[in-house]
Amino acid sequence: MEKKNNALERLRRMLGAARLRTFALERLRAQKLSVKITLIYAAMLIVVLGLTSLLTTIGVYISFYHQAQQAMESSIKHTMEKLRRGDKLDNSFWAGDPMTQGVVLRVTDRKGGTIIENDPQFPPISEMKKNIRRHPPFWAGREFSLIETHEAMTYYKRLTLERGGQIFYLHFFRTITFEKQFLRYMLLILTAVNFVGLIFALLAGGIVSNRILKPIRDVTAAAKSIEAQKMDERLSIGAAKDEVTELADTFNHMLDRLQDSFRRQQQFVSDASHELRTPVTVIMGYADMLKRWGAEDKELLDEGITAIYSESQNMHSLIEDLLFLARADQNENMLIKAPVELSELIEEAAAKVSTADRAVEILINDVGEIFADKDAISRMLLIFIDNGIKYSDGAVKIMSRRERSSMRVSIADDGIGIAKEHHEKIFERFYRVDTSRTKLPDEKTTAGLGLAIAKWIADQHEIKIEIDSEIDRGTQITLTIPLALTKLTGDLDRVEDEEFAEEHEKELRAEPKYLFGK
């Protein structure tokens, strides 16, 4: 039972220590970056100071032990030389000072009696032998015994001498240092130095971290001050080419993109509201008129119903175009791509928009198979052809030529044309070149979304669009559409004979490819 209680107590202590560590780590993670840098800086300095103190202490010990070892070796060498010369073991033995300073020699007989000694005050040998350490430190010499007393460490070595048939023992001693007292003083000094170093580390770490993080704080403050109403403001970029400058520059580029996107969104919402307001106003006006007099006037009833239906169709087309572009922005429009004969799509598109007074002439229509979504390509062609019909008085002319690896389709009209500065902008949503490009009263109004949809379809099929147009000289749109064989094999130039090309075209027709987006 007692063992079980002890185990439970140990488990509680372990859990308490674990909770304490977790709490400390969570508190540390919650601190500001400047505090973390200061603590890390202080911890690193304390580690360096601790290692320095440890190495210094070890170095001092090694130095003291090495000096004592050299003194012992020198004294033993000189003593043995005098004994080999036959010097007597009496007080005359000390002539010439054979012992290095600090080394004690005591010569005894077999019974332990002292024959000669150079330091009578040295403790008895029997007492010293009781304190020999069994496991001396690694810096102590292994050829000597190490005696540890309450105040000092001492090297000891005993040699046996036979002279005149008698046995003598030579006992060599060398006090290394009064280690404990020395260590006490050294620890006090090192503790004081480390404490001062810790205070310095905390102060220096706080100053350094604040200076390092000041540019980041400035960036944060500037970023907080920039709102949707102040998106034209930018962060100031210093001359230094450091990480903070790179961060500020990246943030400014992000603001440029956000501002442009925000501007486009505002313009898009404004234009969409304007385009929807017109048909809604017309519908409401005719509905109000029919409510008042429609039942009595059949001609007014027919006119109102026709107008409401027409405006409803316009509004429906606008909403469909808006939904199409919204799905395109979210990459949700599904395109089913497969080999399609382009010449057939061109003929179908021309037939749909041709009227008795607005003809579409197909001058050249080469055969060529492309890898595309049939409905999407048809819609793109209809948009370009319909634009040509709306803004010209004559016929729209189409030429489709097959080249080595692509089909080049040109759609030309003799209308009022587009100035060069507007060539890239006409594909923006709700963009119109100028107010003079309007239609006759019996035609549908345009919301300016058709070319944006055509551009998206072209991008999804890697179709290159070129515009050649000048004011009052007409417009020509040229589409470069990759052939199906090029699209799937990657290199039509390697097709060198018709048999090889026909064989691959059969494979392409066998099974359509289903892709999402591009």
Side-chain angles (χ1 to χ4, degrees):
M1 187 68 180
E2 184 178 354
K3 290 183 178 179
K4 184 177 180 181
N5 291 334
N6 292 336
L8 289 174
E9 183 63 25
R10 286 196 299 271
L11 181 60
R12 289 192 194 97
R13 291 177 181 175
M14 291 173 61
L15 292 175
R19 284 195 293 268
L20 183 61
R21 286 194 297 269
T22 303
F23 176 75
L25 288 174
E26 289 178 353
R27 288 296 301 272
L28 181 60
R29 292 192 187 100
Q31 296 299 320
K32 291 183 178 180
L33 186 59
S34 58
V35 176
K36 294 179 182 178
I37 293 176
T38 301
L39 293 177
I40 292 173
Y41 184 80
M44 291 176 62
L45 188 56
I46 288 299
V47 170
V48 172
L49 288 175
L51 289 175
T52 303
S53 301
L54 178 63
L55 294 176
T56 300
T57 304
I58 293 174
V60 170
Y61 272 86
I62 291 175
S63 176
F64 284 165
Y65 276 76
H66 183 65
Q67 290 177 7
Q69 180 176 345
Q70 286 184 327
M72 286 282 284
E73 291 173 350
S74 176
S75 299
I76 292 173
K77 178 181 177 183
H78 293 158
T79 299
M80 298 310 294
E81 288 177 354
K82 288 178 72 66
L83 290 173
R84 279 193 291 269
R85 291 198 302 266
D87 289 6
K88 294 180 180 182
L89 292 173
D90 54 21
N91 290 332
S92 63
F93 185 80
W94 310 115
D97 196 14
M99 308 308 294
T100 305
Q101 184 178 6
V103 178
V104 176
L105 171 60
R106 182 174 291 173
V107 181
T108 63
D109 55 20
R110 297 182 66 179
K111 294 181 180 181
T114 300
I115 306 300
I116 61 171
E117 61 180 345
N118 64 341
D119 187 357
Q121 303 298 322
F122 204 78
I125 295 174
S126 58
E127 183 181 336
M128 298 293 288
K129 285 184 176 181
K130 293 178 183 178
N131 299 312
I132 294 178
R133 288 186 61 168
R134 292 185 178 182
H135 305 289
F138 71 90
W139 52 75
R142 294 295 180 262
E143 63 270 24
F144 305 112
S145 297
L146 186 63
I147 297 172
E148 181 180 9
T149 61
H150 65 285
E151 290 184 351
M153 289 288 191
T154 304
Y155 269 143
Y156 166 67
K157 187 166 187 177
R158 191 188 77 168
L159 298 177
T160 303
L161 174 65
E162 182 180 358
R163 175 175 283 189
Q166 293 184 351
I167 301 298
F168 301 94
Y169 297 108
L170 308 178
H171 304 272
F172 293 89
F173 299 90
R174 170 64 159 83
T175 299
I176 300 171
T177 178
F178 289 95
E179 181 179 320
K180 294 182 179 179
Q181 185 178 0
F182 170 78
L183 181 59
R184 190 180 302 116
Y185 291 148
M186 179 173 283
L187 287 176
L188 287 174
I189 294 172
L190 292 178
T191 301
V193 171
N194 289 341
F195 180 76
V196 173
L198 176 60
I199 299 300
F200 173 78
L202 292 174
L203 293 175
I207 295 172
V208 170
S209 62
N210 285 329
R211 293 193 64 180
I212 291 175
L213 296 176
K214 185 179 182 302
I216 297 179
R217 291 195 184 96
D218 294 340
V219 170
T220 304
K224 287 181 178 179
S225 66
I226 298 175
E227 302 174 358
Q229 292 79 12
K230 302 179 182 179
M231 292 194 71
D232 56 334
E233 295 183 6
R234 295 294 180 269
L235 301 178
S236 60
I237 300 176
K241 300 298 182 181
D242 54 13
E243 289 79 1
V244 178
T245 302
E246 184 178 355
L247 173 64
D249 186 55
T250 303
F251 189 80
N252 286 341
H253 283 301
M254 182 189 70
L255 286 177
D256 290 337
R257 294 192 297 272
L258 287 175
Q259 184 178 18
D260 182 66
S261 176
F262 190 69
R263 180 187 60 79
R264 288 173 178 270
Q265 183 182 26
Q266 286 183 321
Q267 185 65 37
F268 183 80
V269 172
S270 174
D271 291 339
S273 302
H274 175 75
E275 295 294 338
L276 286 171
R277 182 165 48 202
T278 301
V280 169
T281 301
V282 173
I283 290 173
M284 290 180 64
Y286 272 101
D288 183 65
M289 184 175 61
L290 292 176
K291 184 179 179 181
R292 294 181 180 183
W293 304 291
E296 301 173 359
D297 191 337
K298 187 176 183 305
E299 183 178 349
L300 180 62
L301 178 63
D302 292 339
E303 179 186 349
I305 292 175
T306 302
I308 290 175
Y309 179 75
S310 176
E311 294 300 327
S312 298
Q313 282 188 315
N314 290 343
M315 192 161 57
H316 179 268
S317 298
L318 173 60
I319 293 173
E320 287 297 319
D321 290 345
L322 288 172
L323 290 175
F324 182 92
L325 291 173
R327 288 193 299 267
D329 291 339
Q330 299 297 323
N331 200 25
E332 294 179 357
N333 281 335
M334 185 179 71
L335 298 179
I336 303 176
K337 296 182 180 181
V340 180
E341 176 55 49
L342 181 60
S343 60
E344 296 176 1
L345 298 182
I346 293 174
E347 290 177 358
E348 292 175 2
K352 286 181 180 180
V353 296
S354 292
T355 60
D357 56 339
R358 299 287 182 89
V360 177
E361 298 180 13
I362 302 177
L363 304 180
I364 302 173
N365 195 12
D366 289 347
V367 175
E369 198 170 49
I370 61 173
F371 186 71
D373 182 289
K374 179 179 178 181
D375 294 335
I377 296 298
S378 295
R379 185 171 187 176
M380 179 188 69
L381 293 172
L382 283 171
I383 290 171
F384 286 125
I385 297 172
D386 188 55
N387 265 19
I389 291 176
K390 289 175 182 176
Y391 300 123
S392 64
D393 296 327
V396 175
K397 300 178 181 179
I398 302 177
M399 293 183 290
S400 176
R401 294 188 178 90
R402 176 168 181 156
E403 298 184 347
R404 183 68 174 172
S405 60
S406 62
M407 298 294 296
R408 284 183 64 85
V409 180
S410 297
I411 302 172
D413 64 68
D414 58 356
I416 61 177
I418 306 170
K420 290 185 177 180
E421 61 267 21
H422 298 291
H423 284 186
E424 294 297 328
K425 296 181 180 179
I426 62 173
F427 295 106
E428 295 179 6
R429 300 172 187 184
F430 295 110
Y431 185 84
R432 293 186 180 87
V433 174
D434 57 50
T435 56
S436 65
R437 292 173 66 92
T438 56
K439 280 180 280 292
L440 298 175
D442 61 335
E443 294 181 302
K444 295 179 182 179
T445 59
T446 175
L449 295 177
L451 291 179
I453 294 174
K455 181 66 166 59
W456 183 87
I457 295 173
D459 290 340
Q460 300 306 305
H461 292 82
E462 298 182 10
I463 298 173
K464 181 181 178 181
I465 302 177
E466 300 175 55
I467 302 175
D468 182 13
S469 179
E470 294 182 13
I471 296 297
D472 297 328
R473 296 188 62 181
T475 301
Q476 177 174 306
I477 303 293
T478 302
L479 308 174
T480 303
I481 309 174
L483 286 168
L485 194 58
T486 303
K487 187 66 177 172
L488 295 185
T489 63
D491 188 4
L492 190 67
D493 292 336
R494 291 183 293 182
V495 182
E496 300 195 356
D497 54 44
E498 292 296 326
E499 292 181 359
F500 183 79
E502 290 177 2
E503 183 177 332
H504 277 70
E505 288 181 354
K506 290 178 182 178
E507 294 179 1
L508 295 177
R509 294 191 188 97
E511 183 178 356
K513 310 291 182 181
Y514 295 91
L515 303 175
F516 287 86
K518 200 168 180 176

